Amino acid sequence: MKNPIRFLCAAAVLVFIWADGSPKRDTVKQTAAANPSGQKTITTNSNDTPKVIDPARSLAQAFTLEIGSERESRIRELLSAWAARDAEAALKWVSALENPAARSSARSTVCLALAEKDPRRAVVLALAHGTDQDDDCGLLECLTMQWCEKECENAVDWARQQPPGEWRDRLLSRASFVLSKSDPAAAARLVSGLEPGTVQDEAAMAVLHQWALQDSSAALLWAEAFSEPTLRERALAEISNLRNLTTSLREVR
């Protein structure tokens, strides 16, 4: 089964590559930047017969296809395969794209593919290739979640080291959600350290939901300690609804 977080992240960061002519203008620049020596990448076809593919050239050709699902699928396929072999080279090619939407979408595809095996490196490369400059924080949030699934402590430590502000809190809120599945009490402590506001409120509700599914009594104690009346009422209602649903399911069985 495919990683559900990668699927959700891919859907969240997907943007269309507009047909304004920029992919064609980028073709020479992309090929030269990503493959200056003309080096080929070796892969195999469905019959396991050796086949030589130049990913930069193949992508340049894919961009010339008529806009539609077939083109997007082809581009994602080529980028994902390149990421598995040489993510650094793939991201260098992506960085040469002049169209911001195309660059963001392609970078997301490469980084999310890499994160399946090495989410920490995916985060490092995403930052090294302009994710923060393009204000593509959604991608970094998704990568942080994938990193948390494999190395939660390291991912949280990295997020905590980021400059204080909303972006840091959003990273930590994503981490708290992943952590809540295995240790909701620790996730609750992480949320409590966020700055008061919308990000903290939504993170608290996400953690509360997971905690209530595992231990509604402990979740209730946490919810009753919320200082903000509106959030407290919302949290108590969430726990009540989950308890009623659980009771109804038991009666049906």
Side-chain angles (χ1 to χ4, degrees):
M1 181 176 180
K2 293 183 178 180
N3 188 324
I5 286 187
R6 184 187 173 189
F7 177 81
L8 292 172
C9 289
V13 300
L14 180 63
V15 292
F16 290 104
I17 301 174
W18 303 110
D20 64 351
S22 56
K24 292 183 179 180
R25 291 198 305 271
D26 292 343
T27 299
V28 175
K29 181 179 178 183
Q30 292 157 2
T31 303
N35 196 19
S37 63
Q39 183 178 1
K40 309 295 183 182
T41 297
I42 298 178
T43 185
T44 59
N45 59 20
S46 58
N47 297 321
D48 293 330
T49 302
K51 183 179 180 181
V52 178
I53 292 179
D54 179 346
R57 186 181 300 278
S58 297
L59 278 161
Q61 292 173 349
F63 268 111
T64 65
L65 297 175
E66 183 178 354
I67 287 183
S69 59
E70 182 178 349
R71 185 178 91 152
E72 299 306 312
S73 177
R74 179 61 175 160
I75 291 173
R76 286 194 297 271
E77 176 186 335
L78 288 167
L79 285 171
S80 295
W82 199 357
R85 295 174 176 82
D86 191 343
E88 179 71 33
L91 285 171
K92 285 181 180 179
W93 182 88
V94 168
S95 296
L97 286 166
E98 295 177 357
N99 184 299
R103 185 171 59 248
S104 177
S105 179
R107 182 171 50 222
S108 295
T109 297
V110 172
C111 290
L112 290 172
L114 175 61
E116 287 288 318
K117 292 185 177 180
D118 193 345
R120 185 201 65 81
R121 185 163 181 257
V123 169
V124 171
L125 289 180
L127 288 169
H129 288 273
T131 299
D132 53 341
Q133 296 174 7
D134 286 348
D135 197 25
D136 194 1
C137 295
L139 172 59
L140 287 169
E141 290 172 28
C142 290
L143 295 176
T144 299
M145 292 177 72
Q146 289 186 268
W147 190 2
C148 262
E149 286 194 321
K150 292 181 179 290
E151 302 174 340
C152 195
E153 185 176 351
N154 290 337
V156 170
D157 286 344
W158 171 79
R160 280 176 168 156
Q161 293 170 11
Q162 304 312 303
E166 182 179 347
W167 180 62
R168 175 179 177 273
D169 282 356
R170 291 183 70 85
L171 293 175
L172 290 171
S173 73
R174 296 289 189 171
S176 70
F177 173 72
V178 176
L179 181 58
S180 68
K181 298 177 183 180
S182 59
D183 191 345
R189 290 192 294 272
L190 185 58
V191 169
S192 297
L194 303 181
E195 287 295 320
T198 302
V199 174
Q200 186 190 50
D201 290 352
E202 296 308 314
M205 290 302 299
V207 170
L208 180 80
H209 181 87
Q210 290 296 322
W211 202 351
L213 291 174
Q214 301 171 49
D215 186 345
S216 62
S217 297
L220 179 61
L221 288 175
W222 186 48
E224 289 176 338
F226 289 175
S227 59
E228 207 284 310
T230 301
L231 180 62
R232 183 170 61 249
E233 292 177 7
R234 181 183 170 192
L236 295 176
E238 175 73 9
I239 294 173
S240 177
N241 290 337
L242 286 174
R243 283 180 167 177
N244 290 338
L245 178 60
T246 300
T247 300
S248 298
L249 291 174
R250 287 174 180 171
E251 292 175 350
V252 169
R253 292 172 183 173

mmCIF file with all atom_site columns, all heavy atoms in Angstrom, residues 4-24:
data_model
loop_
_atom_site.group_PDB
_atom_site.id
_atom_site.type_symbol
_atom_site.label_atom_id
_atom_site.label_alt_id
_atom_site.label_comp_id
_atom_site.label_asym_id
_atom_site.label_entity_id
_atom_site.label_seq_id
_atom_site.pdbx_PDB_ins_code
_atom_site.Cartn_x
_atom_site.Cartn_y
_atom_site.Cartn_z
_atom_site.occupancy
_atom_site.B_iso_or_equiv
_atom_site.pdbx_formal_charge
_atom_site.auth_seq_id
_atom_site.auth_comp_id
_atom_site.auth_asym_id
_atom_site.auth_atom_id
_atom_site.pdbx_PDB_model_num
ATOM 1   N N   . PRO A 1 4  ? 0.178  6.778  2.860   1.00 0.00 ? 4  PRO A N   1
ATOM 2   C CA  . PRO A 1 4  ? -0.945 7.709  2.812   1.00 0.00 ? 4  PRO A CA  1
ATOM 3   C C   . PRO A 1 4  ? -0.537 9.149  2.974   1.00 0.00 ? 4  PRO A C   1
ATOM 4   O O   . PRO A 1 4  ? -1.154 10.050 2.401   1.00 0.00 ? 4  PRO A O   1
ATOM 5   C CB  . PRO A 1 4  ? -1.832 7.228  3.982   1.00 0.00 ? 4  PRO A CB  1
ATOM 6   C CG  . PRO A 1 4  ? -0.901 6.480  4.887   1.00 0.00 ? 4  PRO A CG  1
ATOM 7   C CD  . PRO A 1 4  ? 0.115  5.844  3.987   1.00 0.00 ? 4  PRO A CD  1
ATOM 8   N N   . ILE A 1 5  ? 0.517  9.402  3.757   1.00 0.00 ? 5  ILE A N   1
ATOM 9   C CA  . ILE A 1 5  ? 0.954  10.783 3.937   1.00 0.00 ? 5  ILE A CA  1
ATOM 10  C C   . ILE A 1 5  ? 1.532  11.316 2.650   1.00 0.00 ? 5  ILE A C   1
ATOM 11  O O   . ILE A 1 5  ? 1.289  12.453 2.254   1.00 0.00 ? 5  ILE A O   1
ATOM 12  C CB  . ILE A 1 5  ? 1.974  10.882 5.085   1.00 0.00 ? 5  ILE A CB  1
ATOM 13  C CG1 . ILE A 1 5  ? 1.243  10.739 6.419   1.00 0.00 ? 5  ILE A CG1 1
ATOM 14  C CG2 . ILE A 1 5  ? 2.734  12.190 5.041   1.00 0.00 ? 5  ILE A CG2 1
ATOM 15  C CD1 . ILE A 1 5  ? 2.095  10.975 7.615   1.00 0.00 ? 5  ILE A CD1 1
ATOM 16  N N   . ARG A 1 6  ? 2.311  10.497 1.925   1.00 0.00 ? 6  ARG A N   1
ATOM 17  C CA  . ARG A 1 6  ? 2.847  10.962 0.649   1.00 0.00 ? 6  ARG A CA  1
ATOM 18  C C   . ARG A 1 6  ? 1.699  11.263 -0.308  1.00 0.00 ? 6  ARG A C   1
ATOM 19  O O   . ARG A 1 6  ? 1.720  12.235 -1.058  1.00 0.00 ? 6  ARG A O   1
ATOM 20  C CB  . ARG A 1 6  ? 3.788  9.919  0.035   1.00 0.00 ? 6  ARG A CB  1
ATOM 21  C CG  . ARG A 1 6  ? 4.407  10.479 -1.244  1.00 0.00 ? 6  ARG A CG  1
ATOM 22  C CD  . ARG A 1 6  ? 5.203  9.458  -1.995  1.00 0.00 ? 6  ARG A CD  1
ATOM 23  N NE  . ARG A 1 6  ? 5.622  10.042 -3.278  1.00 0.00 ? 6  ARG A NE  1
ATOM 24  C CZ  . ARG A 1 6  ? 6.179  9.354  -4.245  1.00 0.00 ? 6  ARG A CZ  1
ATOM 25  N NH1 . ARG A 1 6  ? 6.392  8.063  -4.121  1.00 0.00 ? 6  ARG A NH1 1
ATOM 26  N NH2 . ARG A 1 6  ? 6.525  9.944  -5.375  1.00 0.00 ? 6  ARG A NH2 1
ATOM 27  N N   . PHE A 1 7  ? 0.664  10.413 -0.299  1.00 0.00 ? 7  PHE A N   1
ATOM 28  C CA  . PHE A 1 7  ? -0.474 10.631 -1.203  1.00 0.00 ? 7  PHE A CA  1
ATOM 29  C C   . PHE A 1 7  ? -1.156 11.952 -0.891  1.00 0.00 ? 7  PHE A C   1
ATOM 30  O O   . PHE A 1 7  ? -1.452 12.744 -1.786  1.00 0.00 ? 7  PHE A O   1
ATOM 31  C CB  . PHE A 1 7  ? -1.468 9.476  -1.041  1.00 0.00 ? 7  PHE A CB  1
ATOM 32  C CG  . PHE A 1 7  ? -2.712 9.638  -1.861  1.00 0.00 ? 7  PHE A CG  1
ATOM 33  C CD1 . PHE A 1 7  ? -2.714 9.314  -3.210  1.00 0.00 ? 7  PHE A CD1 1
ATOM 34  C CD2 . PHE A 1 7  ? -3.870 10.123 -1.287  1.00 0.00 ? 7  PHE A CD2 1
ATOM 35  C CE1 . PHE A 1 7  ? -3.850 9.459  -3.966  1.00 0.00 ? 7  PHE A CE1 1
ATOM 36  C CE2 . PHE A 1 7  ? -5.012 10.275 -2.037  1.00 0.00 ? 7  PHE A CE2 1
ATOM 37  C CZ  . PHE A 1 7  ? -5.010 9.942  -3.383  1.00 0.00 ? 7  PHE A CZ  1
ATOM 38  N N   . LEU A 1 8  ? -1.395 12.221 0.410   1.00 0.00 ? 8  LEU A N   1
ATOM 39  C CA  . LEU A 1 8  ? -2.056 13.458 0.799   1.00 0.00 ? 8  LEU A CA  1
ATOM 40  C C   . LEU A 1 8  ? -1.190 14.663 0.492   1.00 0.00 ? 8  LEU A C   1
ATOM 41  O O   . LEU A 1 8  ? -1.671 15.703 0.047   1.00 0.00 ? 8  LEU A O   1
ATOM 42  C CB  . LEU A 1 8  ? -2.393 13.419 2.299   1.00 0.00 ? 8  LEU A CB  1
ATOM 43  C CG  . LEU A 1 8  ? -3.474 12.415 2.705   1.00 0.00 ? 8  LEU A CG  1
ATOM 44  C CD1 . LEU A 1 8  ? -3.575 12.343 4.216   1.00 0.00 ? 8  LEU A CD1 1
ATOM 45  C CD2 . LEU A 1 8  ? -4.818 12.803 2.103   1.00 0.00 ? 8  LEU A CD2 1
ATOM 46  N N   . CYS A 1 9  ? 0.113  14.520 0.745   1.00 0.00 ? 9  CYS A N   1
ATOM 47  C CA  . CYS A 1 9  ? 1.024  15.628 0.476   1.00 0.00 ? 9  CYS A CA  1
ATOM 48  C C   . CYS A 1 9  ? 1.101  15.932 -0.999  1.00 0.00 ? 9  CYS A C   1
ATOM 49  O O   . CYS A 1 9  ? 1.138  17.083 -1.412  1.00 0.00 ? 9  CYS A O   1
ATOM 50  C CB  . CYS A 1 9  ? 2.421  15.303 1.003   1.00 0.00 ? 9  CYS A CB  1
ATOM 51  S SG  . CYS A 1 9  ? 2.525  15.325 2.799   1.00 0.00 ? 9  CYS A SG  1
ATOM 52  N N   . ALA A 1 10 ? 1.153  14.884 -1.804  1.00 0.00 ? 10 ALA A N   1
ATOM 53  C CA  . ALA A 1 10 ? 1.223  15.091 -3.247  1.00 0.00 ? 10 ALA A CA  1
ATOM 54  C C   . ALA A 1 10 ? -0.011 15.821 -3.733  1.00 0.00 ? 10 ALA A C   1
ATOM 55  O O   . ALA A 1 10 ? 0.054  16.711 -4.588  1.00 0.00 ? 10 ALA A O   1
ATOM 56  C CB  . ALA A 1 10 ? 1.355  13.752 -3.965  1.00 0.00 ? 10 ALA A CB  1
ATOM 57  N N   . ALA A 1 11 ? -1.153 15.484 -3.148  1.00 0.00 ? 11 ALA A N   1
ATOM 58  C CA  . ALA A 1 11 ? -2.388 16.164 -3.540  1.00 0.00 ? 11 ALA A CA  1
ATOM 59  C C   . ALA A 1 11 ? -2.379 17.609 -3.076  1.00 0.00 ? 11 ALA A C   1
ATOM 60  O O   . ALA A 1 11 ? -2.867 18.513 -3.762  1.00 0.00 ? 11 ALA A O   1
ATOM 61  C CB  . ALA A 1 11 ? -3.597 15.437 -2.950  1.00 0.00 ? 11 ALA A CB  1
ATOM 62  N N   . ALA A 1 12 ? -1.773 17.851 -1.901  1.00 0.00 ? 12 ALA A N   1
ATOM 63  C CA  . ALA A 1 12 ? -1.773 19.200 -1.345  1.00 0.00 ? 12 ALA A CA  1
ATOM 64  C C   . ALA A 1 12 ? -0.855 20.147 -2.092  1.00 0.00 ? 12 ALA A C   1
ATOM 65  O O   . ALA A 1 12 ? -1.140 21.334 -2.230  1.00 0.00 ? 12 ALA A O   1
ATOM 66  C CB  . ALA A 1 12 ? -1.338 19.146 0.122   1.00 0.00 ? 12 ALA A CB  1
ATOM 67  N N   . VAL A 1 13 ? 0.270  19.639 -2.579  1.00 0.00 ? 13 VAL A N   1
ATOM 68  C CA  . VAL A 1 13 ? 1.247  20.523 -3.223  1.00 0.00 ? 13 VAL A CA  1
ATOM 69  C C   . VAL A 1 13 ? 1.139  20.528 -4.731  1.00 0.00 ? 13 VAL A C   1
ATOM 70  O O   . VAL A 1 13 ? 1.856  21.270 -5.399  1.00 0.00 ? 13 VAL A O   1
ATOM 71  C CB  . VAL A 1 13 ? 2.685  20.122 -2.825  1.00 0.00 ? 13 VAL A CB  1
ATOM 72  C CG1 . VAL A 1 13 ? 2.868  20.225 -1.338  1.00 0.00 ? 13 VAL A CG1 1
ATOM 73  C CG2 . VAL A 1 13 ? 3.012  18.724 -3.318  1.00 0.00 ? 13 VAL A CG2 1
ATOM 74  N N   . LEU A 1 14 ? 0.245  19.681 -5.292  1.00 0.00 ? 14 LEU A N   1
ATOM 75  C CA  . LEU A 1 14 ? 0.148  19.603 -6.748  1.00 0.00 ? 14 LEU A CA  1
ATOM 76  C C   . LEU A 1 14 ? -0.328 20.920 -7.337  1.00 0.00 ? 14 LEU A C   1
ATOM 77  O O   . LEU A 1 14 ? -1.302 21.488 -6.910  1.00 0.00 ? 14 LEU A O   1
ATOM 78  C CB  . LEU A 1 14 ? -0.826 18.483 -7.142  1.00 0.00 ? 14 LEU A CB  1
ATOM 79  C CG  . LEU A 1 14 ? -1.025 18.272 -8.634  1.00 0.00 ? 14 LEU A CG  1
ATOM 80  C CD1 . LEU A 1 14 ? 0.283  17.844 -9.286  1.00 0.00 ? 14 LEU A CD1 1
ATOM 81  C CD2 . LEU A 1 14 ? -2.104 17.228 -8.892  1.00 0.00 ? 14 LEU A CD2 1
ATOM 82  N N   . VAL A 1 15 ? 0.389  21.412 -8.303  1.00 0.00 ? 15 VAL A N   1
ATOM 83  C CA  . VAL A 1 15 ? -0.009 22.614 -9.030  1.00 0.00 ? 15 VAL A CA  1
ATOM 84  C C   . VAL A 1 15 ? 0.098  22.332 -10.506 1.00 0.00 ? 15 VAL A C   1
ATOM 85  O O   . VAL A 1 15 ? 0.846  21.460 -10.937 1.00 0.00 ? 15 VAL A O   1
ATOM 86  C CB  . VAL A 1 15 ? 0.880  23.829 -8.665  1.00 0.00 ? 15 VAL A CB  1
ATOM 87  C CG1 . VAL A 1 15 ? 0.654  24.259 -7.245  1.00 0.00 ? 15 VAL A CG1 1
ATOM 88  C CG2 . VAL A 1 15 ? 2.340  23.511 -8.919  1.00 0.00 ? 15 VAL A CG2 1
ATOM 89  N N   . PHE A 1 16 ? -0.654 23.057 -11.310 1.00 0.00 ? 16 PHE A N   1
ATOM 90  C CA  . PHE A 1 16 ? -0.631 22.823 -12.744 1.00 0.00 ? 16 PHE A CA  1
ATOM 91  C C   . PHE A 1 16 ? 0.568  23.524 -13.379 1.00 0.00 ? 16 PHE A C   1
ATOM 92  O O   . PHE A 1 16 ? 0.993  24.585 -12.949 1.00 0.00 ? 16 PHE A O   1
ATOM 93  C CB  . PHE A 1 16 ? -1.908 23.361 -13.394 1.00 0.00 ? 16 PHE A CB  1
ATOM 94  C CG  . PHE A 1 16 ? -3.116 22.559 -13.046 1.00 0.00 ? 16 PHE A CG  1
ATOM 95  C CD1 . PHE A 1 16 ? -4.033 23.040 -12.127 1.00 0.00 ? 16 PHE A CD1 1
ATOM 96  C CD2 . PHE A 1 16 ? -3.330 21.327 -13.616 1.00 0.00 ? 16 PHE A CD2 1
ATOM 97  C CE1 . PHE A 1 16 ? -5.150 22.300 -11.797 1.00 0.00 ? 16 PHE A CE1 1
ATOM 98  C CE2 . PHE A 1 16 ? -4.438 20.577 -13.288 1.00 0.00 ? 16 PHE A CE2 1
ATOM 99  C CZ  . PHE A 1 16 ? -5.358 21.065 -12.367 1.00 0.00 ? 16 PHE A CZ  1
ATOM 100 N N   . ILE A 1 17 ? 1.106  22.893 -14.427 1.00 0.00 ? 17 ILE A N   1
ATOM 101 C CA  . ILE A 1 17 ? 2.205  23.474 -15.201 1.00 0.00 ? 17 ILE A CA  1
ATOM 102 C C   . ILE A 1 17 ? 1.587  24.194 -16.382 1.00 0.00 ? 17 ILE A C   1
ATOM 103 O O   . ILE A 1 17 ? 1.095  23.572 -17.309 1.00 0.00 ? 17 ILE A O   1
ATOM 104 C CB  . ILE A 1 17 ? 3.172  22.379 -15.648 1.00 0.00 ? 17 ILE A CB  1
ATOM 105 C CG1 . ILE A 1 17 ? 3.723  21.658 -14.413 1.00 0.00 ? 17 ILE A CG1 1
ATOM 106 C CG2 . ILE A 1 17 ? 4.289  22.956 -16.481 1.00 0.00 ? 17 ILE A CG2 1
ATOM 107 C CD1 . ILE A 1 17 ? 4.580  20.471 -14.750 1.00 0.00 ? 17 ILE A CD1 1
ATOM 108 N N   . TRP A 1 18 ? 1.569  25.508 -16.317 1.00 0.00 ? 18 TRP A N   1
ATOM 109 C CA  . TRP A 1 18 ? 0.828  26.295 -17.289 1.00 0.00 ? 18 TRP A CA  1
ATOM 110 C C   . TRP A 1 18 ? 1.479  26.270 -18.657 1.00 0.00 ? 18 TRP A C   1
ATOM 111 O O   . TRP A 1 18 ? 2.690  26.233 -18.796 1.00 0.00 ? 18 TRP A O   1
ATOM 112 C CB  . TRP A 1 18 ? 0.721  27.745 -16.806 1.00 0.00 ? 18 TRP A CB  1
ATOM 113 C CG  . TRP A 1 18 ? 0.089  27.841 -15.468 1.00 0.00 ? 18 TRP A CG  1
ATOM 114 C CD1 . TRP A 1 18 ? 0.693  28.176 -14.299 1.00 0.00 ? 18 TRP A CD1 1
ATOM 115 C CD2 . TRP A 1 18 ? -1.271 27.569 -15.131 1.00 0.00 ? 18 TRP A CD2 1
ATOM 116 N NE1 . TRP A 1 18 ? -0.184 28.133 -13.265 1.00 0.00 ? 18 TRP A NE1 1
ATOM 117 C CE2 . TRP A 1 18 ? -1.412 27.771 -13.742 1.00 0.00 ? 18 TRP A CE2 1
ATOM 118 C CE3 . TRP A 1 18 ? -2.395 27.178 -15.874 1.00 0.00 ? 18 TRP A CE3 1
ATOM 119 C CZ2 . TRP A 1 18 ? -2.611 27.592 -13.079 1.00 0.00 ? 18 TRP A CZ2 1
ATOM 120 C CZ3 . TRP A 1 18 ? -3.599 27.003 -15.212 1.00 0.00 ? 18 TRP A CZ3 1
ATOM 121 C CH2 . TRP A 1 18 ? -3.698 27.207 -13.839 1.00 0.00 ? 18 TRP A CH2 1
ATOM 122 N N   . ALA A 1 19 ? 0.648  26.301 -19.663 1.00 0.00 ? 19 ALA A N   1
ATOM 123 C CA  . ALA A 1 19 ? 1.125  26.257 -21.051 1.00 0.00 ? 19 ALA A CA  1
ATOM 124 C C   . ALA A 1 19 ? 1.355  27.664 -21.569 1.00 0.00 ? 19 ALA A C   1
ATOM 125 O O   . ALA A 1 19 ? 0.654  28.147 -22.444 1.00 0.00 ? 19 ALA A O   1
ATOM 126 C CB  . ALA A 1 19 ? 0.097  25.545 -21.938 1.00 0.00 ? 19 ALA A CB  1
ATOM 127 N N   . ASP A 1 20 ? 2.352  28.319 -21.000 1.00 0.00 ? 20 ASP A N   1
ATOM 128 C CA  . ASP A 1 20 ? 2.638  29.675 -21.451 1.00 0.00 ? 20 ASP A CA  1
ATOM 129 C C   . ASP A 1 20 ? 3.897  29.719 -22.310 1.00 0.00 ? 20 ASP A C   1
ATOM 130 O O   . ASP A 1 20 ? 4.436  30.775 -22.597 1.00 0.00 ? 20 ASP A O   1
ATOM 131 C CB  . ASP A 1 20 ? 2.801  30.607 -20.241 1.00 0.00 ? 20 ASP A CB  1
ATOM 132 C CG  . ASP A 1 20 ? 3.996  30.227 -19.387 1.00 0.00 ? 20 ASP A CG  1
ATOM 133 O OD1 . ASP A 1 20 ? 4.580  29.158 -19.638 1.00 0.00 ? 20 ASP A OD1 1
ATOM 134 O OD2 . ASP A 1 20 ? 4.328  31.002 -18.491 1.00 0.00 ? 20 ASP A OD2 1
ATOM 135 N N   . GLY A 1 21 ? 4.374  28.540 -22.667 1.00 0.00 ? 21 GLY A N   1
ATOM 136 C CA  . GLY A 1 21 ? 5.568  28.478 -23.518 1.00 0.00 ? 21 GLY A CA  1
ATOM 137 C C   . GLY A 1 21 ? 6.850  28.362 -22.730 1.00 0.00 ? 21 GLY A C   1
ATOM 138 O O   . GLY A 1 21 ? 7.885  28.065 -23.291 1.00 0.00 ? 21 GLY A O   1
ATOM 139 N N   . SER A 1 22 ? 6.817  28.596 -21.397 1.00 0.00 ? 22 SER A N   1
ATOM 140 C CA  . SER A 1 22 ? 8.050  28.590 -20.634 1.00 0.00 ? 22 SER A CA  1
ATOM 141 C C   . SER A 1 22 ? 8.731  27.233 -20.595 1.00 0.00 ? 22 SER A C   1
ATOM 142 O O   . SER A 1 22 ? 9.948  27.178 -20.611 1.00 0.00 ? 22 SER A O   1
ATOM 143 C CB  . SER A 1 22 ? 7.811  29.087 -19.207 1.00 0.00 ? 22 SER A CB  1
ATOM 144 O OG  . SER A 1 22 ? 6.811  28.324 -18.576 1.00 0.00 ? 22 SER A OG  1
ATOM 145 N N   . PRO A 1 23 ? 8.000  26.093 -20.544 1.00 0.00 ? 23 PRO A N   1
ATOM 146 C CA  . PRO A 1 23 ? 8.724  24.829 -20.573 1.00 0.00 ? 23 PRO A CA  1
ATOM 147 C C   . PRO A 1 23 ? 9.578  24.674 -21.815 1.00 0.00 ? 23 PRO A C   1
ATOM 148 O O   . PRO A 1 23 ? 10.697 24.192 -21.750 1.00 0.00 ? 23 PRO A O   1
ATOM 149 C CB  . PRO A 1 23 ? 7.591  23.783 -20.528 1.00 0.00 ? 23 PRO A CB  1
ATOM 150 C CG  . PRO A 1 23 ? 6.484  24.485 -19.822 1.00 0.00 ? 23 PRO A CG  1
ATOM 151 C CD  . PRO A 1 23 ? 6.573  25.908 -20.319 1.00 0.00 ? 23 PRO A CD  1
ATOM 152 N N   . LYS A 1 24 ? 9.070  25.101 -22.975 1.00 0.00 ? 24 LYS A N   1
ATOM 153 C CA  . LYS A 1 24 ? 9.851  24.990 -24.205 1.00 0.00 ? 24 LYS A CA  1
ATOM 154 C C   . LYS A 1 24 ? 11.067 25.917 -24.164 1.00 0.00 ? 24 LYS A C   1
ATOM 155 O O   . LYS A 1 24 ? 12.137 25.562 -24.612 1.00 0.00 ? 24 LYS A O   1
ATOM 156 C CB  . LYS A 1 24 ? 8.969  25.332 -25.405 1.00 0.00 ? 24 LYS A CB  1
ATOM 157 C CG  . LYS A 1 24 ? 7.865  24.294 -25.652 1.00 0.00 ? 24 LYS A CG  1
ATOM 158 C CD  . LYS A 1 24 ? 7.071  24.639 -26.881 1.00 0.00 ? 24 LYS A CD  1
ATOM 159 C CE  . LYS A 1 24 ? 5.981  23.608 -27.145 1.00 0.00 ? 24 LYS A CE  1
ATOM 160 N NZ  . LYS A 1 24 ? 5.187  23.937 -28.350 1.00 0.00 ? 24 LYS A NZ  1
#
